[in-house]
C-alpha cells in the first residue's frame, strides 16, 4: 500500500491479520467474551449471530486462542454446506480419529470420542460451527441427537453456532424447537458503537506504527460510522479507501470529504 509510507505506517492498519493482543476491545467484544467465559464452566450449546462483517469469526478466534489447550480442544469448521455424513466425518477427523463408513458407526464413534475426551482425558471438546446459517435442516436435526448425552442429563462439550441472523429465525421454527431449547447461551453482535469508531481507527493506526494516530478528523469518524453503521469489515474497507484517497490528494489528514469520496469509490 503506497499510502503506508506516506503516513509513516509499517503496513495497512485495516487488514484482518491482527494479533489477538492488538484487537480493539469494543463493547461487543467484551460482552461476548464474558458470555463465552460462562460457557467454559456451564458447557452446552451457544448461539452467536450478527449481520455479515460484524467480527464473529475474529471474536471466536480470540476466544479459541484464549483457551487452555490442556483442558479444551477446539474443533473449528466453516464448511456448512454438507451432508449429515460429511458433517459427522468432519467432526470425527477434527477429534483426531479416522471415521468409519456407516452413519450409525460414525454416530457411535463421535459420542464415544466426546465422552472419552471429557471423562477420561479431562479435556472439553469445543465445536465451533461457523457459517451455521448455511447448515441444512438434516444436519440441524442430527445435531440435537448427536449432542444428547445420558438422556440429556449432561453436557460434556461446548458447541458454538455462529452465523447470520437467519439461523436464529430458522431455530424458531417448530421443527427445530427441541434443538432451540437446548441452547443455554446466546449473543447478537451489532458492531462498533458510534463513539467507538474514533478509538478503533486510532488503535489500528497506532498498531501500524503511526506517530500520530489521529489521522481521521472527528467529522471523518462520524462519516465512517454513518456509511458503515459500525460494521468492522466495512469500517476497515472504508478506512483503507480513505487513506488511499488522502494519499492521492496529498492530504495530511482524512476529513469528511475524503471519506465521502472513498465511500463513493468502493460503492458503500
Amino acid at each position: 500500500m503506497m499510502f503506508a509510507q506516506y503516513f509513516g505506517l509499517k503496513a495497512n492498519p485495516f487488514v484482518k491479520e491482527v494479533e489477538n493482543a492488538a484487537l480493539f476491545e469494543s463493547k461487543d467484544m467484551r460482552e461476548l467474551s464474558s458470555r463465552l467465559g460462562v460457557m467454559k464452566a456451564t458447557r452446552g450449546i451457544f448461539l452467536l449471530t450478527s449481520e455479515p462483517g460484524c467480527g464473529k469469526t475474529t471474536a471466536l478466534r480470540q476466544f479459541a486462542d484464549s483457551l487452555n489447550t490442556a483442558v479444551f480442544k477446539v474443533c473449528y469448521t466453516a464448511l456448512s454446506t454438507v451432508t449429515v455424513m460429511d458433517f459427522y466425518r468432519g467432526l470425527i477427523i477434527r477429534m483426531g480419529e479416522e471415521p468409519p463408513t456407516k452413519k450409525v458407526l460414525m454416530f457411535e464413534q463421535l459420542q464415544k470420542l466426546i465422552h472419552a475426551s471429557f471423562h477420561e482425558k479431562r479435556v472439553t471438546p469445543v465445536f465451533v460451527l461457523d457459517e451455521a446459517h448455511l447448515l441444512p435442516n438434516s444436519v440441524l436435526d442430527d445435531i440435537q441427537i448427536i449432542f444428547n448425552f445420558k438422556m440429556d442429563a449432561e453436557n460434556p462439550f461446548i458447541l458454538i453456532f455462529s452465523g447470520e441472523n437467519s439461523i436464529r429465525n430458522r431455530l424458531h421454527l417448530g421443527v427445530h424447537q427441541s434443538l432451540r431449547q437446548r441452547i443455554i447461551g446466546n449473543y447478537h453482535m451489532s458492531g462498533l458503537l458510534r463513539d467507538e469508531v474514533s478509538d478503533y481507527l486510532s488503535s489500528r493506526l497506532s498498531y501500524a506504527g503511526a506517530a500520530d494516530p489521529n489521522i481521521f478528523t472527528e467529522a471523518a469518524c462520524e462519516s465512517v460510522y454513518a456509511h458503515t453503521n459500525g460494521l468492522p469489515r466495512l469500517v476497515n474497507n472504508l478506512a483503507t479507501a480513505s487513506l488511499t484517497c488522502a494519499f492521492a490528494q496529498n492530504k495530511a489528514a482524512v476529513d469528511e470529504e475524503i471519506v465521502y469520496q472513498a465511500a463513493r469509490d468502493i460503492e458503500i
Side-chain angles (χ1 to χ4, degrees):
M1 293 289 180
M2 296 184 67
F3 67 73
Q5 184 176 1
Y6 178 79
F7 285 108
L9 307 173
K10 294 180 293 186
N12 180 1
F14 302 105
V15 294
K16 295 188 293 185
E17 296 81 6
V18 177
E19 298 174 359
N20 286 332
L23 289 173
F24 180 74
E25 193 179 54
S26 65
K27 179 179 179 295
D28 244 1
M29 296 287 275
R30 290 194 301 272
E31 181 65 27
L32 177 58
S33 177
S34 175
R35 298 195 187 199
L36 288 175
V38 173
M39 289 299 298
K40 290 195 294 184
T42 60
R43 301 181 305 280
I45 303 177
F46 187 90
L47 176 62
L48 172 62
T49 58
S50 79
E51 294 182 41
C54 253
K56 296 186 300 297
T57 302
T58 298
L60 290 173
R61 184 189 74 218
Q62 185 181 42
F63 172 68
D65 289 347
S66 73
L67 296 175
N68 184 346
T69 55
V71 291
F72 294 99
K73 178 181 177 61
V74 177
C75 302
Y76 173 87
T77 179
L79 184 59
S80 300
T81 55
V82 294
T83 65
V84 173
M85 293 279 281
D86 289 336
F87 179 73
Y88 280 7
R89 189 176 294 111
L91 293 187
I92 291 171
I93 290 173
R94 285 168 176 79
M95 288 291 290
E97 297 284 339
E98 282 295 320
T101 56
K102 294 184 178 180
K103 177 182 175 182
V104 64
L105 296 178
M106 284 193 282
F107 178 93
E108 293 174 354
Q109 183 182 16
L110 184 55
Q111 283 218 325
K112 287 178 180 178
L113 286 171
I114 295 172
H115 183 275
S117 179
F118 183 76
H119 289 285
E120 297 171 19
K121 298 179 181 178
R122 298 291 188 263
V123 175
T124 301
V126 180
F127 299 97
V128 180
L129 307 183
D130 212 350
E131 307 296 341
H133 56 283
L134 299 177
L135 287 170
N137 287 331
S138 56
V139 171
L140 291 176
D141 290 340
D142 265 49
I143 283 176
Q144 66 178 322
I145 303 171
I146 195 65
F147 289 99
N148 186 330
F149 288 82
K150 289 187 178 181
M151 297 183 180
D152 211 22
E154 70 169 7
N155 292 323
F157 63 88
I158 295 173
L159 171 63
I160 300 175
F161 285 109
S162 174
E164 297 177 14
N165 299 334
S166 58
I167 182 63
R168 187 181 296 273
N169 298 332
R170 288 176 61 197
L171 288 171
H172 274 83
L173 297 176
V175 67
H176 298 310
Q177 181 178 358
S178 179
L179 176 57
R180 186 181 74 249
Q181 290 175 351
R182 287 181 167 86
I183 296 173
I184 64 173
N186 71 88
Y187 186 66
H188 179 78
M189 298 184 75
S190 55
L192 298 167
L193 300 175
R194 181 184 296 274
D195 59 4
E196 290 179 325
V197 170
S198 177
D199 290 339
Y200 173 79
L201 295 173
S202 295
S203 71
R204 295 298 288 265
L205 286 162
S206 292
Y207 175 73
D212 179 8
N214 299 311
I215 295 174
F216 287 75
T217 67
E218 184 177 342
C221 293
E222 286 285 335
S223 184
V224 168
Y225 179 83
H227 281 97
T228 65
N229 203 32
L231 297 179
R233 184 186 299 159
L234 294 182
V235 170
N236 287 342
N237 293 343
L238 182 53
T240 299
S242 297
L243 290 175
T244 301
C245 284
F247 162 70
Q249 298 179 30
N250 293 317
K251 294 287 187 70
V254 175
D255 57 22
E256 185 178 10
E257 179 60 28
I258 290 290
V259 174
Y260 174 79
Q261 292 176 28
R264 186 176 56 190
D265 288 346
I266 61 176
E267 299 183 345
I268 288 184

